[in-house]
Amino acid sequence: MRILATVVVALAVVATAPAPPSTVRARVVSWNIQALSSGMDGVLATLRTLEPDVVALQEVDLRTLRSGVVDQPEALAKALGMKARFAAAMPYEGGEYGIALLSREELTDVEVLRLPRQLQEEPRIAMRAQTVIRGMPVTVINTHLAADWRVKDPPRLRRDQAHALRDWVRSPGLPTLLLGDFNCEPGSEPLGALGAVATRLSGDHKTHPTPEPTRAIDHVWHVKGAGEVRVLGSRAAMSSASDHLPLVVDLEIRRAASK
């Protein structure tokens, strides 16, 4: 009888569990934080003001000597009351250097894509994870494409990286957002390649370099194929905490209708 009662209670809990909302509003931020070279306080102050649901961070250190052996993603997440997941692009000064995702809810099912390289320039990656935004399950992807520094043919390398990324993000099962520092501007060939599978949401806001940015190289996208996204607003937020400004996008996300 005790076992039967337990089963009945469990079934009742499942039966009454709320369904995910059909539509939610969300704020997402993409920000290259330059390994917190200007300190953590400015980044924290900016993110506290912005109150994002999800943050994609590029140029993040994990226990490197130059950053005082600090776990940067975990320190930021703890201070903000968020969850963090880190993906290493390469080892660096006794630790690792790469990208990170922060979310108000847990980040699960993390996958990492190593992007193409030409020679021995800095390796680049993309990371994908699932999380929940205000009750709605979503997939978020963070990436950082090649810069011009120490690269033989930067436009060609970014094109190859964008093609690899394009093939990796196809056919999402959940509403999927792609954020990052793409190191290329609207109208460029790499962004054109991504446009075959995703819709850019973030406008042409100039984010680099601070304090007077001239380049729109940070972007937020919605991957086609699952759910709908409507842009409520976008901007480059003012901050002196990095050589990039944080890119902020407010969204309405609608999940795909059940078939």
Side-chain angles (χ1 to χ4, degrees):
M1 290 297 293
R2 189 172 297 172
I3 294 174
L4 179 60
T6 301
V7 172
V8 171
V9 170
L11 289 174
V13 170
V14 171
T16 59
S22 60
T23 305
V24 298
R25 291 191 172 191
R27 171 168 289 177
V28 299
V29 172
S30 183
W31 197 2
N32 182 322
I33 58 171
Q34 204 179 17
L36 297 179
S37 58
S38 297
M40 187 177 295
D41 290 348
V43 170
L44 283 175
T46 300
L47 291 176
R48 286 190 178 113
T49 299
L50 294 176
E51 297 183 319
D53 296 291
V54 169
V55 185
L57 300 173
Q58 303 86 41
E59 294 194 14
V60 183
D61 276 2
L62 184 87
R63 301 192 182 95
T64 67
L65 292 176
R66 71 173 172 185
S67 297
V69 201
V70 172
D71 183 335
Q72 290 186 344
E74 186 59 32
L76 289 168
K78 184 176 180 180
L80 295 167
M82 302 180 81
K83 311 297 183 184
R85 295 298 294 263
F86 173 82
M90 66 179 186
Y92 190 82
E93 288 190 2
E96 295 175 311
Y97 170 78
I99 58 180
L101 285 165
L102 307 182
S103 175
R104 298 209 171 276
E105 303 293 339
E106 293 289 347
L107 291 149
T108 63
D109 302 316
V110 177
E111 300 175 82
V112 176
L113 172 69
R114 296 212 158 265
L115 297 172
R117 296 174 71 185
Q118 291 175 346
L119 299 170
Q120 295 300 313
E121 72 280 347
E122 182 179 308
R124 302 290 174 145
I125 61 173
M127 68 181 299
R128 174 168 53 200
Q130 291 187 16
T131 190
V132 175
I133 298 179
R134 303 181 187 274
M136 180 179 290
V138 299
T139 297
V140 287
I141 301 170
N142 182 14
T143 195
H144 187 189
L145 302 192
D148 292 353
W149 188 63
R150 293 186 178 178
V151 177
K152 181 180 179 181
D153 188 347
R156 179 180 176 183
L157 180 55
R158 284 191 289 269
R159 181 201 65 192
D160 292 346
Q161 291 174 342
H163 286 179
L165 188 60
R166 176 196 63 193
D167 295 340
W168 193 60
V169 303
R170 285 182 185 277
S171 303
L174 297 173
T176 299
L177 301 174
L178 167 63
L179 307 91
D181 175 358
F182 293 82
N183 272 310
C184 48
E185 300 196 63
S188 63
E189 186 178 0
L191 297 195
L194 289 172
V197 296
T199 302
R200 197 163 57 88
L201 307 174
S202 47
D204 297 345
H205 301 293
K206 294 178 172 59
T207 53
H208 180 268
T210 60
E212 297 181 1
T214 58
R215 305 170 67 214
I217 60 174
D218 299 282
H219 307 284
V220 174
W221 307 70
H222 170 237
V223 179
K224 300 173 184 178
E228 299 176 2
V229 171
R230 183 166 68 95
V231 179
L232 304 177
S234 63
R235 61 192 170 98
M238 297 309 299
S239 177
S240 59
S242 174
D243 63 339
H244 286 242
L245 296 179
L247 181 63
V248 186
V249 183
D250 291 314
L251 305 169
E252 182 180 84
I253 306 172
R254 182 183 297 273
R255 62 184 171 88
S258 300
K259 295 182 179 180

